[in-house]
Amino acid sequence: MAEDIKAKLDQYRTAPFDARFPNQNQTRNCWSNYLDYHRCQKALNAKGVDTTPCEWYRRVYKSLCPVGWIEKWDGQRDDGSFPGKI
């Protein structure tokens, strides 16, 4: 399992098509993957498990989201004012 995930991460170039977000506007896709990454990190850290599977979400949101949004959201999470449920 871990080898399969690592192989996919090594071959990763850009965000693949996601049928949940068929339109050109990828804002919601960006938001979902940002939340999924941080939820995954939180859940796997709580279990004391390796967080390598979460890297997929990080790579997707890094390729879809503008840097300004990511910086803003990271700042909001640090301040405790982030609007999403993680």
Side-chain angles (χ1 to χ4, degrees), residues 57-86:
Y57 298 115
R58 186 185 67 78
R59 288 186 177 205
V60 172
Y61 87 72
K62 288 269 188 183
S63 70
L64 290 174
C65 302
V67 175
W69 291 4
I70 296 170
E71 291 171 352
K72 177 183 174 187
W73 295 337
D74 287 343
Q76 288 175 336
R77 281 188 320 105
D78 293 340
D79 296 341
S81 63
F82 184 68
K85 292 184 180 180
I86 294 178

Side-chain angles (χ1 to χ4, degrees), residues 17-40:
F17 176 75
D18 189 338
R20 297 175 299 165
F21 310 102
N23 300 322
Q24 287 180 327
N25 187 344
Q26 293 295 301
T27 303
R28 189 167 289 157
N29 192 357
C30 157
W31 174 254
S32 273
N33 279 288
Y34 183 85
L35 290 177
D36 288 344
Y37 170 72
H38 290 288
R39 288 174 182 155
C40 180

Side-chain angles (χ1 to χ4, degrees), residues 12 14 27 38 47 49 56-57 80:
Y12 181 85
T14 188
T27 303
H38 290 288
K47 293 179 182 178
V49 181
W56 175 259
Y57 298 115

